[in-house]
Amino acid sequence: MLNIVVLVKQVPNTTQVKIDPVTNNLVREGVPSIVNPYDMYAIEEALLLKEKFGGKVSILSMGPAQAKEVIKYAMAMGADDGILLSDRAFAGSDTLATSYTLSAALSKMGKADLVLCGKQAADGDTAQVPAELAEYLGMGCITYVSKICDIADGKITVERTLDFAEAKAEVSMPAVLTLNKGINEPRLPRLKDMVKAMYMSIQVLKSNDLTLDEKRISLSGSPTQVMKVFSPERKKSGYVLNGSSDEQVSALVGELIKREII
Ligand SMILES: Cc1cc2nc3c(=O)[nH]c(=O)nc-3n(C[C@H](O)[C@H](O)[C@H](O)COP(=O)(O)OP(=O)(O)OC[C@H]3O[C@@H](n4cnc5c(N)ncnc54)[C@H](O)[C@@H]3O)c2cc1C
């Protein structure tokens, strides 16, 4: 029997992310949102482990009230229950404050054997939260997991795929794992399960429900300060050389001479 908690983040479903010019915070209200794509693999892996070893799959998400949608989607896939961490008091949290707040909720939820996360979030993109969380919880952490090989005698053995290497690793449970894209094929929830999930209740935790050091949450708990937010300068488009390769080479040499590069 395994008690698994999956960390699921709601992310904007658009590349046109807007930043509030006054607060430098992401504008989330009214922006179409989805389950962070990498977290879909974490939900699916948790369900596969539950089918193999038995146990329970819980979803934990921190975000605005609308983040309930991603928890409901995970429950439609088959998760047993879900908790939303949502409070204005958490606004402005960088990754350290986010990990601290999530760790307080996990401590309140009771003993988890495994905490599964996506490799990274599609919006913040730092991949920092899982390792920071593991540190707060005093758990081992393995990142970039591409296969869970075995769970036995309180240990979990995995394969990791990094940019230029593959590796095997083992950690004692409880542990935090971050999962790579492609580790499995996330199932599509059936319509009747989507409808059922719409009526399932989700526990919402606020700052008063947790044992927190106020100085470690929100902006005051965020060592990262956004100094400036700006859209990167659009690269001036180059031009394409046409004609035969000889014609292209002489055109290129001509351009390089004109620009006094050669
Ligand atoms: C100064 C500052 C202010 C910010 N203010 C805000 C703000 O007001 N509101 C806001 O939403 N963001 C805010 N952000 C962004 C926010 O800090 C990050 O998005 C958040 O800490 C997660 O980091 P990440 O997106 O890089 O996730 P990663 O570390 O890349 O995520 C890796 C994995 O961790 C888990 N995870 C990450 N975040 C969550 C979550 N929230 N819930 C559940 N699981 C999660 C998921 O499994 C995910 O796949 C702010 C950032 C900074 C620097």
Side-chain angles (χ1 to χ4, degrees):
M1 299 290 272
L2 285 175
N3 191 1
I4 307 171
V5 177
V6 185
L7 296 193
V8 176
K9 188 178 184 196
Q10 183 179 52
V11 296
N13 184 8
T14 169
T15 54
Q16 310 304 322
V17 173
K18 294 191 189 68
I19 302 271
D20 180 324
V22 181
T23 63
N24 285 332
N25 285 345
L26 297 176
V27 175
R28 291 184 184 270
E29 282 70 34
V31 175
S33 302
I34 54 170
V35 176
N36 176 42
Y38 285 102
D39 299 344
M40 291 294 291
Y41 298 102
I43 300 166
E44 179 63 25
E45 198 66 19
L47 297 172
L48 293 171
L49 289 173
K50 177 186 162 189
E51 285 158 11
K52 191 170 174 190
F53 297 98
K56 191 180 126 188
V57 174
S58 302
I59 305 297
L60 175 62
S61 186
M62 175 172 158
Q66 70 194 52
K68 273 189 181 175
E69 291 156 20
V70 298
I71 299 176
K72 292 217 172 200
Y73 189 85
M75 290 158 94
M77 287 174 72
D80 299 290
D81 58 27
I83 290 183
L84 175 63
L85 269 185
S86 190
D87 191 329
R88 295 270 343 127
F90 301 145
S93 299
D94 71 355
T95 62
L96 201 63
T98 300
S99 316
Y100 173 71
T101 313
L102 285 166
S103 72
L106 273 156
S107 306
K108 182 176 173 88
M109 290 166 76
K111 189 176 128 356
D113 301 303
L114 265 184
V115 178
L116 297 185
C117 306
K119 182 177 96 167
Q120 63 197 76
D123 56 350
D125 244 354
T126 65
Q128 290 173 3
V129 167
E132 290 169 349
L133 177 88
E135 195 57 31
Y136 280 121
L137 295 170
M139 289 183 180
C141 177
I142 304 181
T143 57
Y144 307 114
V145 172
S146 47
K147 184 177 180 204
I148 294 182
C149 309
D150 191 22
I151 298 183
D153 310 325
K155 286 197 167 69
I156 185 164
T157 314
V158 304
E159 280 174 15
R160 305 179 68 212
T161 302
L162 312 169
D163 288 347
F164 304 106
E166 304 242 332
K168 265 217 163 166
E170 182 184 88
V171 64
S172 301
M173 290 187 291
V176 176
L177 302 182
T178 83
L179 307 184
N180 278 352
K181 186 178 177 186
I183 185 172
N184 55 46
E185 192 66 40
R187 67 197 67 188
L188 273 182
R190 294 171 300 178
L191 184 59
K192 75 178 178 63
D193 295 327
M194 295 280 272
V195 174
K196 202 171 100 207
M198 279 163 62
Y199 300 100
M200 288 166 89
S201 68
I202 291 173
Q203 188 185 2
V204 179
L205 291 180
K206 298 197 164 304
S207 55
N208 297 341
D209 300 315
L210 302 174
T211 311
L212 289 168
D213 170 353
E214 299 288 320
K215 292 192 294 308
R216 301 175 77 177
I217 63 170
S218 182
L219 274 172
S220 50
S222 299
T224 321
Q225 303 297 322
V226 177
M227 308 309 288
K228 186 177 164 203
V229 177
F230 58 94
S231 302
E233 202 190 308
R234 253 184 208 291
K235 282 214 174 51
K236 285 196 222 62
S237 57
Y239 65 90
V240 179
L241 298 172
N242 295 315
S244 68
S245 44
D246 286 354
E247 285 161 345
Q248 291 183 30
V249 170
S250 60
L252 179 61
V253 171
E255 193 58 34
L256 294 175
I257 292 169
K258 201 171 76 192
R259 296 182 188 203
E260 296 174 356
I261 297 172
I262 58 175

